[in-house]
Amino acid sequence: MSNENGILNLLSNLISIITVNDPFRNIRPSRNAVDRIKALIDEALDLDSKLFENNGYYTIYNVVGSGKPIVLFLAHYDTVPVNISEWIYDPFKLTVKGSKAYGRGAADDKGNIVAIVYALREVLKEKFCGTIIYAFTGDEEIGGRNGTLAFRHLLEKKGLLPDFVVNGDGSGLIPIVRRRNTFIITISVPEEKIIVKGRRVGGMFKVRICAKETRHSAYFMPGVDSHPLLALSEYLRYKRNLFLINLSGSWVKSNVIPSRVTFNAVKKGSGNEYEVDVSLTKLIRSLIIISRMNVKTELDSDYGVTINPNIYVYKDGVHTIKIDVRAMSKKLPNTVHERIKSIFSNIGLTKVDIKIKDGSGYLYTEEDSYLVRQALDVQKMLSLEEAVCELAGASDSRFFSPLGIQCIDYGPTGGNVHGPNEYVNIKSLVKAKNFYAKLAQKILK
């Protein structure tokens, strides 16, 4: 079987195993799914991988060889949820159309698992000096603390903290050396119903992404793309006589831009009497202002700071918004909390609960480091672009980079990550496999 056929066969099997991670609906990869993935990996590598469990999340891993250097190859098998109505293809069945292979996880991140497994098949056939660790985790899409962070602690206890981390959770066939930290701001306000006379109206705002094939929140570019909830927020700011009755949308998760937001409202004036929600109206009006906050960062980023409200929940008389924040900082400054409080105070919304969940750090590896130099040598060897870049989305490298460990992210080309009809370019999967194999061979020669 050729490399390409073998890669597609393994990718097809992995995509058919549903590993959606959705804490809002209490869905996570099952133990049965993990066992099936482990069996496929073990068959491909002719090894017996181990399982590490933490709080119901599983990491499939192995340690091969001994001594220095220690190189960790990392990727994740969990995926974001799907909205079936938005897909042309079955998200859990690999569909090959021309040069593209479609399916949930094809690009993020089961394609990278396949590329790493096939790279290690080559590397492990030859003698090498040092230690190879591979780890495929099951909770990257919800923060990675029960997967990669817990696994890092395990490696520390075993004296196996890696010297280098090659994280297969990138894209574009280019080494990634910078990625921002992720934060979640949760804002909750109790409902406040009043009666308003006027005319009932409604409408819908849709997402518009101009330059990229992804709805991943980190890649949203203010001033270029259009966020449906932020569009509604700005609309309400200039329609002061409009009061919301309710709100719905295609909410997926905190780091995915919803495809649409639908609202029902009352335009104040002559007409009938309707019950509206003042708190909900003020909360949504405030979002555009919050998204434009000035956040001081520790390091510069090509992407600046991204602030997107991607989840709205109404439960037990309380409206809750979850805001995805990306910034090149270890933690958000206290001024962020104070600024949000000030915004709500200025619009007369006083009963507000604000919680900020700090992230776990950012990826930052010097461009003249040993790992990056070796990666660029491999790029040249494979006739790929000899450059490094920053990528917008966070990754599990952030659990190793703050310790001073040299890390890079990498991956094949593809599109629609976190959105409908996600795909990977088939030829690029083979190129990614070649990169991982050659880099391992150079470091472990």
Side-chain angles (χ1 to χ4, degrees):
M1 183 182 291
S2 69
N3 264 337
E4 185 174 303
N5 289 338
I7 283 172
L8 282 178
N9 184 57
L10 180 54
L11 181 59
S12 177
N13 287 328
L14 289 179
I15 284 178
S16 70
I17 302 171
I18 299 176
T19 53
V20 168
N21 230 337
D22 189 354
F24 297 108
R25 298 173 181 85
N26 197 29
I27 298 172
R28 67 175 67 177
S30 68
R31 173 60 190 269
N32 177 261
V34 174
D35 287 340
R36 291 170 62 194
I37 294 171
K38 176 183 178 300
L40 290 169
I41 291 169
D42 288 352
E43 181 182 10
L45 292 175
D46 194 23
L47 293 172
D48 185 14
S49 302
K50 301 174 178 63
L51 282 183
F52 170 64
E53 184 270 339
N54 188 68
N55 292 328
Y57 294 91
Y58 295 88
T59 296
I60 303 166
Y61 79 99
N62 214 339
V63 179
V64 186
S66 62
K68 295 283 190 174
I70 302 173
V71 184
L72 169 63
F73 284 88
L74 187 64
H76 66 91
Y77 58 79
D78 63 317
T79 69
V80 299
V82 299
N83 187 338
I84 295 290
S85 64
E86 296 179 339
W87 282 70
I88 298 173
Y89 310 108
D90 184 342
F92 303 115
K93 179 181 179 181
L94 190 71
T95 303
V96 176
K97 295 289 183 180
S99 62
K100 299 176 181 178
Y102 293 85
R104 176 54 89 218
D108 184 21
D109 189 39
K110 292 176 178 179
N112 265 309
I113 291 178
V114 173
I116 289 173
V117 166
Y118 265 77
L120 293 181
R121 276 166 58 106
E122 294 182 12
V123 175
L124 297 178
K125 288 177 182 177
E126 302 174 358
K127 186 176 180 180
F128 61 89
C129 298
T131 304
I132 295 174
I133 303 173
Y134 62 80
F136 305 126
T137 64
D139 78 329
E140 192 276 343
E141 295 294 359
I142 60 170
R145 293 178 180 273
N146 289 302
T148 301
L149 179 58
F151 183 68
R152 190 197 80 191
H153 293 324
L154 178 69
L155 293 179
E156 288 175 305
K157 291 178 183 177
K158 291 177 175 289
L160 289 171
L161 204 60
D163 301 295
F164 308 106
V165 174
V166 181
N167 183 30
D169 192 12
S171 64
L173 294 173
I174 187 169
I176 298 153
V177 297
R178 297 183 303 277
R179 275 183 149 174
R180 299 171 295 174
N181 201 354
T182 304
F183 308 89
I184 299 295
I185 300 175
T186 302
I187 301 172
S188 299
V189 300
E191 64 184 3
E192 183 184 348
K193 301 289 186 65
I194 64 169
I195 301 298
V196 169
K197 181 179 286 189
R199 179 169 57 89
R200 184 163 175 157
V201 297
M204 177 190 294
F205 289 91
K206 294 183 178 181
V207 68
R208 181 171 60 87
I209 304 296
C210 293
K212 303 161 291 298
E213 293 180 297
T214 178
R215 292 219 309 270
H216 194 306
S217 181
Y219 295 86
F220 180 84
M221 191 60 65
V224 178
D225 303 324
S226 178
H227 191 298
L229 194 49
L230 292 177
L232 173 59
S233 177
E234 182 72 352
Y235 181 73
L236 290 175
R237 286 185 68 223
Y238 286 94
K239 300 289 184 180
R240 306 299 297 181
N241 61 342
L242 212 60
F243 294 87
L244 290 176
I245 298 173
N246 54 42
L247 179 68
S248 63
S250 58
W251 323 114
V252 179
K253 62 192 296 278
S254 60
N255 67 351
V256 179
I257 306 291
S259 62
R260 65 185 182 280
V261 171
T262 304
F263 69 94
N264 291 299
V266 173
K267 185 177 182 180
K268 190 175 181 180
S270 59
N272 299 321
E273 290 186 342
Y274 296 95
E275 186 179 63
V276 299
D277 197 315
V278 176
S279 289
L280 176 61
T281 305
K282 290 180 177 180
L283 173 62
I284 302 304
R285 277 180 184 161
S286 71
L287 294 180
I288 189 69
I289 305 172
I290 292 172
S291 74
R292 309 295 288 177
M293 284 190 303
N294 182 24
V295 178
K296 187 176 181 181
T297 61
E298 298 162 20
L299 293 171
D300 288 333
S301 166
D302 294 344
Y303 295 91
V305 176
T306 306
I307 305 173
N308 287 325
N310 297 325
I311 292 287
Y312 163 73
V313 176
Y314 172 75
K315 184 178 181 181
D316 299 331
V318 177
H319 303 287
T320 299
I321 291 284
K322 288 190 175 291
I323 302 175
D324 179 76
V325 181
R326 307 290 168 134
M328 196 67 91
S329 295
K330 293 176 183 175
K331 63 185 304 181
L332 290 181
N334 294 331
T335 52
V336 170
H337 191 280
E338 295 305 312
R339 174 59 180 145
I340 295 175
K341 284 177 59 179
S342 174
I343 290 170
F344 287 127
S345 176
N346 290 340
I347 61 175
L349 201 56
T350 56
K351 296 180 180 179
V352 182
D353 181 63
I354 305 166
K355 292 184 174 65
I356 299 178
K357 181 181 178 181
D358 285 332
S360 303
Y362 45 75
L363 165 62
Y364 189 87
T365 301
E366 295 289 348
E367 295 184 21
D368 64 349
S369 65
Y370 173 81
L371 179 60
V372 174
R373 293 200 309 271
Q374 300 307 307
L376 290 177
D377 282 350
V378 174
Q379 290 286 98
K380 182 177 181 180
M381 185 187 312
L382 298 176
S383 299
L384 297 171
E385 185 176 359
E386 297 175 56
V388 297
C389 72
E390 176 183 346
L391 211 61
S395 78
D396 280 350
S397 292
R398 67 187 185 275
F399 296 114
F400 294 94
S401 185
L403 302 183
I405 296 171
Q406 295 178 33
C407 307
I408 61 168
D409 289 0
Y410 198 83
T413 59
N416 297 335
V417 172
H418 286 201
N421 304 308
E422 176 184 352
Y423 71 88
V424 66
N425 287 302
I426 297 168
K427 296 295 184 185
S428 75
L429 271 178
V430 178
K431 293 178 180 179
K433 182 272 297 182
N434 293 337
F435 173 85
Y436 294 133
K438 296 297 184 186
L439 181 60
Q441 289 163 348
K442 279 181 67 68
I443 296 174
L444 298 164
K445 62 184 178 181

